[in-house]
Amino acid sequence: FVYDINQATYTSIVPERRELVAFSLPPFNCTICRLLDQRDQEKSENKLRDEKGNTNGVAFRGEKYHFEDFVLYHAQQGPAHLGYIVDFRIINNRKLRSEVYLRRLGRISSLGNVLPDNVLKDERHVFLTDEKVTVPLQDLICVCNVFTKESFNSDSHLKS
């Protein structure tokens, strides 16, 4: 806790914020300035690199996107689309936009009458298509998890 004698108040500082400036000397130990710098950095696109220095993804808006990640991205209407990241085109120019190259995932529910009646048509059931799309990095919403059917069958407590 920090006591402010002028306002007669106690203030609790969040440990994560305190750690941001723990090893900095004044005037570079302002937690607000560091948080603003961190927020500005999250707005920009930053390349992610592996231990050998090769680009393996991009950080944007506080989210990290890597090759072979499954992502949700904005759709013109309806639910968000799903994609599988195959490549990035990172542009460090404010006039040009960075792009993400994806393989699109389809939803089983969108197949309609193609499947037999005994097949469950749930929008959470997806399949990888050969369709390739290019979307602006700004259209990515978040990384998501996609599990194979076999991953559920391997655990006995999930079998029914």
Side-chain angles (χ1 to χ4, degrees), residues 72-82 104 107 135 139 141:
L72 288 172
Y73 63 97
H74 286 286
Q76 295 297 330
Q77 61 184 20
H81 293 304
L82 290 155
R104 193 158 177 202
R107 287 186 167 83
V135 298
D139 282 0
I141 300 169

Side-chain angles (χ1 to χ4, degrees), residues 41-107:
Q41 185 177 9
E42 287 177 356
K43 288 181 184 177
S44 64
E45 305 151 9
N46 297 304
K47 290 182 182 180
L48 299 174
R49 300 185 186 278
D50 62 13
E51 59 277 352
K52 295 180 182 176
N54 300 319
T55 300
N56 67 350
V58 63
F60 182 65
R61 286 193 215 132
E63 189 83 39
K64 293 179 181 176
Y65 302 99
H66 295 90
F67 290 113
E68 300 181 352
D69 275 347
F70 289 96
V71 294
L72 288 172
Y73 63 97
H74 286 286
Q76 295 297 330
Q77 61 184 20
H81 293 304
L82 290 155
Y84 175 78
I85 297 177
V86 293
D87 203 1
F88 295 97
R89 182 172 158 220
I90 309 302
I91 301 169
N92 294 329
N93 182 339
R94 299 223 182 252
K95 293 180 183 178
L96 299 173
R97 301 168 77 185
S98 295
E99 298 173 328
V100 182
Y101 301 100
L102 306 168
R103 280 185 61 189
R104 193 158 177 202
L105 272 73
R107 287 186 167 83

Side-chain angles (χ1 to χ4, degrees), residues 13-21:
I13 299 175
V14 179
E16 292 81 21
R17 291 184 182 178
R18 189 175 41 229
E19 289 172 7
L20 281 174
V21 294

Side-chain angles (χ1 to χ4, degrees), residues 3-58:
Y3 179 72
D4 183 349
I5 195 166
N6 296 324
Q7 296 182 11
T9 59
Y10 284 98
T11 306
S12 176
I13 299 175
V14 179
E16 292 81 21
R17 291 184 182 178
R18 189 175 41 229
E19 289 172 7
L20 281 174
V21 294
F23 302 105
S24 301
L25 298 173
F28 305 107
N29 64 345
C30 173
T31 56
I32 301 300
C33 294
R34 289 288 176 101
L35 287 172
L36 290 173
D37 289 343
Q38 183 179 357
R39 189 179 69 187
D40 289 343
Q41 185 177 9
E42 287 177 356
K43 288 181 184 177
S44 64
E45 305 151 9
N46 297 304
K47 290 182 182 180
L48 299 174
R49 300 185 186 278
D50 62 13
E51 59 277 352
K52 295 180 182 176
N54 300 319
T55 300
N56 67 350
V58 63

